[in-house]
Structure formats: structure tokens, C-alpha cells
Amino acid sequence: MAEWAAYYQNDDEEGEQEEGDHSVDYKTTGRDSLVFLVDASKEMFIKGEDGQPSNFDMTMQVVRSVYTSKIISSHRDLVALVFFGTEQSKNPKNAFKNVYVYHNLNEPGAKRVQDVDALRGEKGAQLAAETMGSGETSLGDALWCCSNLYSDIKLRLSYKRLMIFTCRDDPHGGDSAKNRQARTKASDLKDTGVNINLMHLMKPGGFDVPLFFCDIVSPPEDEGELGLQMEPCTKLDDLQKRVRAKELKKRAMARLNLCLGEGINVAVGIYATAVSARKPGAIKLYRETNEQVRSKTRTFHTQTGSLLLPSEIKKAQVYGKRQIVMERDEVNALKKFNDPGLLLIGFKPMERLKLHHHIRSVCLCLGELNLKCSEKNVFALCRCISRRNYPPQFVALVPQKEEVDEGNVQITAPGFNVIYLPYADDMRTLDPPQCPSASQIQVDKMKEIVSKLRFRYRSDAFENPVIQQHYRNLEALALDMMAPEETEDLIMPKVAQIDGRLGPLVQEFTDLVYPAGYNPETKPAAKRKTADTGGAGAEKKPKVEVPENELRAHMQNGTLGKLTVPVLKEACKQFGIRTTGTKKQDLIDALTDRLAS
């Protein structure tokens, strides 16, 4: 029974682990959770200067953005929306005054997006005033209510985050008892693994973070995480960047040991620097109930039809005209080269690493070694086994320094770029076509064009228009919108801007490379096929005519079917028989009837 239980226990789990990888940290196997704790005081509804949206409206736009991104990227995560400083109270058993739980911790959906949309703009501010209102503030009660939201969830949560949105640096107006209660509840939340972040907004006179919130928020967990920002968010873009930097937990693809020498190991984490965005695959639904269909794979004996257990399934390899049967454990033992990890082989100058050596790359987090390699301009050569039963590969660890933007938001994380190096059989010798070489004048002119069109490339500046339109259509369908939002195709070149930058350079380059009067937009004239005899044009195929007596002889001998279709059509034309769209047998029958009459 133990074997059967082990065979069927993983059928209904949310995801399967990769084969051979059993070293999974329990903290990363659950769902992520995020609670938005939003200040609903009157100060949040004051509009900004020059028609700028209010802090409350900016917050609702960010909440909606996170909701929609969660639905697309990680719909299994849990999200909640809680308001504090309200006049009305709505929470489990109404145990806390001036706290309004708008959304409990649950998976995001279209209904929740519509609820948040209703709170945006002037109508949204009016609805919030009618529904919740603005009253006294007790951040301690709000944090306590959020703690209960987390404790009521029976699912395993891998990462718990709470974001506070407010424009008041002293929400309790100097009340020491409420301040002390808020610090206590914040400490209790941190002890239970909840990460508290502050998304403070602009207020007249500036936002003094150390006045109260320094003891509330959580410190950054690692060097790569964005710490507490002292400057408040003045624009929607700034707020969205900070929320995006804090929203997702960076998950390591693998955690390995980097062996620097005999008995010297350093624990490192490997992260994916970029992941390709793809449209989700089709989900099979049962047509009668519209429920998702789950598929199960079973292996049966071909002769007896009995269900086979995993222990009864063997693998075989034909070698020397003999079939060698192996157990699964033996196959795994053959695949295993060594334990997962990185083994330092040595260091090489950066000039030895060529551009064509790059197969793919990930990011590896390591501190002091990164600085030393950057100073000496070298890369580390290592042997890498990323997972169990994976073949070894040689990698180059290229140092990378940290980069941040004006808002102190990290753009590039510090660490090493792990460049997977090719083996000898991965390198191919190409036979490029022989083309005429460009003159130095032509090369210099093309250099001018390239310098005019040069810009700083960022991968996050270009979105896939097909995927964007796909999700816009789904959004319009789920939210009952009249039409999907228009998407801008950022991949298409900006022709007007390019022409303005280049000016006459394009025509100058065309005159240097192409013959006079050349127009690249016109299609070249189609070449006429010449006959073998060297005539001006191809000779037409001669008509194939068959005499009537020969046709009658074929009919009497029953050999009309040996004639080709063109010959039969030409014979039908002689007798005035229509041949358009007819088959060979129809032509034979028509000829037979005419000749027999």
C-alpha cells in the first residue's frame, strides 16, 4: 500500500518538482501574500497642484495595477485591501474601530478589479466618503486586524508582505499610547514573518520618516532589496516603481556551494536576470460543467492490461545488438556526475571572454569576490552543476556592479553574470557567402548613420505587442468593457524621428552604394525565361493532336486511359466537348460516348 500511496499522492498538487530535485526550501513552496493598508484620512483626498491626482487616487491606481499583474503572472497569490482612519468599521466581528476591510486575503479576480475601479477619480472619492468616511486613526488596531487576516488563512504562505500607504508622518497626532501600541503590533507582525513596507506620499511641509515610521517598517532582507526611502512619492510613476520593487519576492533558481578550494565553500544563490514572456497555454474544460479537466498518465502492460507501478517500469538501451535493461536507480546513477555546486577552476583576463562564447546567462549573488574581480578586470572560470542529475557545464563568472536610478531604486543587482560557455562541438564553421567589400568611404558614411541612431537599449522599454493585446482582450472580456484598451506597438520603428535625425545621410549613402536612379521601394522587374535556342522568349508547348481513327482504336482496345490528361482534353476540344473542371475518367467517358454515336 505504501507504493500505491506514493504513486497517487501527487496527482492533485498544485505543481510538481523537477525530477531529481528534492532540496526544496519549505519557505518557498507556498503562496505569496500582500496586504495593502491604505490611509483613508481627509488629507489623502486633497488634490495635487496643477490638476495632479490625489494621493488616494494614486494609491488606487497602483492597487489596480498590482491586482491585474497578479492575475496575469501569479493568480494563486493572495491579496487584501484594508483602510484605516475610516469613520465606518468593517472587519471580522467588528473588533477594531475605524478599520475597514475592503477585500479579505484571497486570490485576485475581475470583481476585485472592478471594486477598485469604482474608488478611482472624483466619483471614487465620493463613493469612499459615503461608504467609509474619515474618522480617528489607530494604526495599531489596523496592524492587529491585518495580523488576524494572516492567521485566518489555512494555506501555507511562503512570503507575507504588508504595504502602508499614507501622507501623514504622525498619524496619531503625538498620542504616545497609540504610538506605543502601533510599534508593539508592528514588532509582533515582524516576528511572525510579515515584512512591513512604507509607501509614503507627498504632504505640505515634507514627510518626516524618522518621526514615527522608522520603528514600524522592516529593514531590507538583503543587499539586493530596496531599503526605506526618505523622499516621498510625488508622482504616480515613482509610486509604481517602488511598489513594483517591493511587490515580488526574488526567488532563487538554485542555492549552491561555490568551492574556492579544499574545504572552503561559500553559499551562493542563482537568479534569472530575464525570463521570456509567453501567452499562457490553453486550458481544457469539460463542456457540460465548464470545469477544468485534469489529465493523469497511467502505464499499462501491453499483454495483460494491468496497471504498472513505477518500480515495475524498466528502461532499456540497445548496445551491441543486445537490449540492456536497467532499473530507475541505475539510470539516475549513470546520469549523476557529481553533487550540485560550483567548483572554481581559475581566473582569466576579461579579454579572453569573447562575445560568441555567450550561450545563456543567469545572475549569481556574491559580494567581496565581485569587487576583487572588478578591480583586476578578470572573470572566474568554474564548473557548474545546477541541479541533481544535470550534466556539468563550464561557466564564466563575470563581475557586475550595482546600478540605481534617481529614486535609489535598483536597476542592476550586484553579483556575477553566469555565462554558460560552449563545448568544442557547439562551435560550427560557417561558409559565409562571398560579397564585395565596402570601400572606406562607404564604411565611414555608415558609421555616421549608426552614430546618429545610437540609443541606450533597455529590455524593459519594449513590450510584446501580441501578448499585450491578448491580455487587453481578456481584461475587456472579464471587466465587461465596451472595447479593449489600445496598445502601442513599441517595436515598430519611429520613422519620422529617424528621418529627422539622419537628414540627407540616407540619400548620400544610397548614392555611394547603389547605382544612379536606384529606388529601394520599387520591386525589380520579373525576369523573362529565355528558350534554350537563345530566342527572346520561351517557346509555347505544341498542341498534341490525336487522329480520330487512332482514338477509335484506343476505344475499341479499352486503352483510352493510357493517354494523358492534356491529350484527352485536346481530343475533346476536337469534338466540341466541354473540358473545364472535369476529371480524367469524365474525359474518357465523354469521348467514348461521342465516338460510339
Side-chain angles (χ1 to χ4, degrees):
M1 291 298 292
E3 286 184 314
W4 284 101
Y7 188 38
Y8 287 102
Q9 66 179 355
N10 294 327
D11 287 340
D12 295 326
E13 289 183 357
E14 295 178 7
E16 295 181 359
Q17 299 176 13
E18 192 169 349
E19 182 180 357
D21 185 18
H22 303 289
S23 57
V24 180
D25 188 359
Y26 75 95
K27 293 182 179 180
T28 63
T29 56
R31 305 188 190 185
D32 287 354
S33 59
L34 174 61
V35 175
F36 294 103
L37 186 57
V38 181
D39 188 359
S41 61
K42 295 181 180 179
E43 291 84 348
M44 288 284 290
F45 293 91
I46 300 176
K47 287 189 175 182
E49 298 179 356
D50 300 330
Q52 293 294 324
S54 64
N55 291 329
F56 185 85
D57 194 21
M58 289 172 52
T59 303
M60 290 302 101
Q61 293 188 52
V62 170
V63 172
R64 186 195 190 278
S65 175
V66 173
Y67 273 21
T68 54
S69 65
K70 287 284 187 183
I71 292 173
I72 294 172
S73 60
S74 49
H75 68 281
R76 307 288 290 175
D77 291 352
L78 307 181
V79 188
L81 177 59
V82 180
F83 296 98
F84 70 96
T86 61
E87 182 179 4
Q88 305 296 327
S89 302
K90 181 186 175 185
N91 49 78
K93 300 180 182 179
N94 285 333
F96 306 100
K97 293 183 178 181
N98 310 113
V99 179
Y100 198 99
V101 179
Y102 205 74
H103 289 150
N104 286 309
L105 264 176
N106 208 333
E107 298 177 3
K111 180 63 171 61
R112 292 198 166 195
V113 176
Q114 291 174 335
D115 293 342
V116 176
D117 281 337
L119 296 176
R120 294 171 56 187
E122 295 183 0
K123 293 183 179 179
Q126 183 178 358
L127 177 62
E130 296 173 356
T131 306
M132 300 175 295
S134 300
E136 297 182 2
T137 299
S138 177
L139 186 58
D141 287 345
L143 294 174
W144 197 341
C145 180
C146 294
S147 177
N148 291 345
L149 293 180
Y150 281 114
S151 60
D152 292 340
I153 298 298
K154 304 304 180 185
L155 300 172
R156 177 184 293 175
L157 300 178
S158 63
Y159 196 64
K160 297 182 285 187
R161 189 181 289 278
L162 186 146
M163 292 185 180
I164 303 175
F165 293 82
T166 183
C167 63
R168 296 184 293 169
D169 50 10
D170 187 13
H172 301 134
D175 191 330
S176 58
K178 288 186 177 181
N179 289 347
R180 185 168 54 253
Q181 180 192 15
R183 293 188 181 99
T184 303
K185 293 311 299 179
S187 178
D188 294 341
L189 279 172
K190 297 174 191 175
D191 293 340
T192 59
V194 179
N195 195 290
I196 303 176
N197 304 123
L198 175 64
M199 300 296 162
H200 50 298
L201 303 158
M202 177 58 71
K203 64 181 285 289
F207 197 104
D208 188 4
V209 176
L211 182 63
F212 171 73
F213 280 100
C214 274
D215 298 330
I216 300 296
V217 299
S218 303
E221 295 184 346
D222 51 49
E223 296 180 358
E225 185 177 356
L226 179 66
L228 177 61
Q229 304 296 296
M230 294 300 174
E231 294 297 325
C233 296
T234 58
K235 297 181 179 179
L236 178 61
D237 292 341
D238 298 336
L239 184 60
Q240 287 179 334
K241 285 183 180 179
R242 292 191 187 181
V243 172
R244 194 178 301 116
K246 289 284 189 179
E247 173 194 349
L248 297 176
K249 174 66 176 176
K250 295 179 180 178
R251 296 180 182 270
M253 295 174 54
R255 295 196 179 274
L256 308 172
N257 286 333
L258 172 59
C259 182
L260 302 177
E262 187 66 28
I264 305 176
N265 295 323
V266 180
V268 296
I270 297 181
Y271 298 84
T273 54
V275 180
S276 299
R278 298 182 178 89
K279 289 196 294 185
I283 299 176
K284 295 181 180 180
L285 302 177
Y286 188 45
R287 62 181 180 181
E288 294 185 2
T289 61
N290 210 32
E291 294 180 355
Q292 183 176 349
V293 177
R294 297 184 179 273
S295 60
K296 296 181 181 180
T297 303
R298 299 289 181 264
T299 305
F300 296 90
H301 198 284
T302 56
Q303 297 178 355
T304 63
S306 60
L307 180 64
L308 296 177
L309 293 172
S311 59
E312 298 173 338
I313 300 175
K314 315 296 184 194
K315 294 190 176 183
Q317 174 71 38
V318 177
Y319 186 78
K321 298 182 180 181
R322 290 182 56 192
Q323 190 179 48
I324 302 173
V325 181
M326 293 173 286
E327 301 284 347
R328 179 170 294 183
D329 295 340
E330 294 174 331
V331 176
N332 293 335
L334 289 174
K335 289 182 178 179
K336 183 176 180 181
F337 182 85
N338 209 331
D339 292 330
L342 288 162
L343 176 63
L344 179 63
I345 298 176
F347 297 91
K348 292 281 187 179
M350 200 66 70
E351 295 79 12
R352 298 292 298 274
L353 185 63
K354 305 301 181 182
L355 188 62
H356 63 270
H357 292 161
H358 184 284
I359 297 179
R360 63 186 180 94
S361 65
V362 292
C363 184
L364 181 143
C365 290
L366 197 61
E368 192 64 27
L369 185 62
N370 178 26
L371 299 177
K372 293 298 181 181
C373 290
S374 298
E375 293 175 359
K376 297 185 178 181
N377 195 29
V378 296
F379 67 90
L381 182 63
C382 297
R383 185 199 71 194
C384 176
I385 302 177
S386 57
R387 295 182 185 275
R388 294 182 184 179
N389 299 338
Y390 269 38
Q393 287 185 287
F394 292 105
V395 297
L397 305 187
V398 180
Q400 175 178 273
K401 294 183 179 180
E402 182 183 23
E403 295 181 9
V404 295
D405 60 6
E406 298 81 3
N408 203 24
V409 177
Q410 187 183 85
I411 301 175
T412 304
F416 285 93
N417 276 318
V418 183
I419 309 297
Y420 286 81
L421 301 178
Y423 287 104
D425 52 359
D426 291 329
M427 308 295 290
R428 295 179 297 167
T429 302
L430 301 178
D431 187 14
Q434 298 296 327
C435 300
S437 300
S439 64
Q440 189 60 41
I441 300 176
Q442 295 172 344
V443 172
D444 293 340
K445 185 61 65 174
M446 178 52 68
K447 285 183 179 180
E448 293 184 43
I449 295 176
V450 172
S451 63
K452 290 286 186 180
L453 299 180
R454 188 182 297 274
F455 69 98
R456 186 175 181 181
Y457 171 77
R458 291 189 301 110
S459 60
D460 57 349
F462 298 92
E463 297 175 341
N464 188 328
V466 176
I467 295 180
Q468 292 297 319
Q469 188 61 48
H470 172 75
Y471 285 117
R472 292 291 188 277
N473 294 338
L474 292 181
E475 181 183 21
L477 182 64
L479 302 180
D480 295 331
M481 299 170 62
M482 296 296 295
E485 296 182 8
E486 294 185 1
T487 58
E488 181 182 1
D489 192 348
L490 301 175
I491 300 178
M492 297 299 294
K494 300 179 179 179
V495 179
Q497 186 176 353
I498 292 175
D499 293 342
R501 285 187 178 186
L502 295 180
L505 288 177
V506 175
Q507 188 60 42
E508 294 174 5
F509 180 79
T510 303
D511 296 339
L512 287 173
V513 176
Y514 298 101
Y518 174 77
N519 186 2
E521 296 182 358
T522 59
K523 295 183 179 180
K527 295 182 179 180
R528 298 181 62 185
K529 295 182 179 180
T530 57
D532 295 336
T533 58
E539 294 181 355
K540 295 183 180 180
K541 294 182 179 179
K543 293 183 180 180
V544 181
E545 295 184 0
V546 182
E548 183 178 349
N549 57 354
E550 186 175 343
L551 289 174
R552 292 184 180 277
H554 279 296
M555 184 192 70
Q556 293 175 358
N557 298 329
T559 57
L560 281 175
K562 292 183 178 181
L563 301 178
T564 62
V565 173
V567 173
L568 292 173
K569 285 187 175 182
E570 192 63 31
C572 289
K573 289 181 180 179
Q574 296 178 23
F575 293 98
I577 302 173
R578 184 176 178 273
T579 61
T580 304
T582 53
K583 297 180 180 179
K584 184 175 184 178
Q585 187 60 43
D586 297 335
L587 297 174
I588 295 174
D589 295 340
L591 276 175
T592 302
D593 295 340
R594 179 57 61 88
L595 293 172
S597 61

